[in-house]
Amino acid sequence: MIDRINAAVRRRFPTALQAAHLARIASGDIGKGTLAWMLGINPDTLDVDTPDRSEIGAAEPARALGH
């Protein structure tokens, strides 16, 4: 019975949603926090290759905001 209760309270998200988050993390669009929360793990332990942020130029944030 305890196993059923524990299984019922676990977070469950569709694999397609998890995959979409993973793709957006890999592209640099979002951070690891939400996916780590979905999986119930520490974001630092989530091993995902992300783009090097140092390659972003000074004008990139303004362009992303539509300026």
Side-chain angles (χ1 to χ4, degrees), residues 40-58:
I41 62 173
N42 183 323
D44 296 333
T45 62
L46 189 59
D47 188 23
V48 180
D49 290 331
T50 56
D52 183 8
R53 294 287 185 188
S54 64
E55 295 177 10
I56 296 174

Side-chain angles (χ1 to χ4, degrees), residues 1-55:
M1 175 116 170
I2 297 295
D3 291 336
R4 286 181 55 196
I5 293 170
N6 287 337
V9 298
R10 275 191 216 124
R11 290 183 201 120
R12 293 192 189 122
F13 295 91
T15 53
L17 181 62
Q18 293 177 30
H21 272 74
L22 187 58
R24 292 194 64 203
I25 292 167
S27 70
D29 291 337
I30 62 173
K32 298 178 181 182
T34 303
L35 181 59
W37 174 80
M38 283 184 203
L39 299 173
I41 62 173
N42 183 323
D44 296 333
T45 62
L46 189 59
D47 188 23
V48 180
D49 290 331
T50 56
D52 183 8
R53 294 287 185 188
S54 64
E55 295 177 10

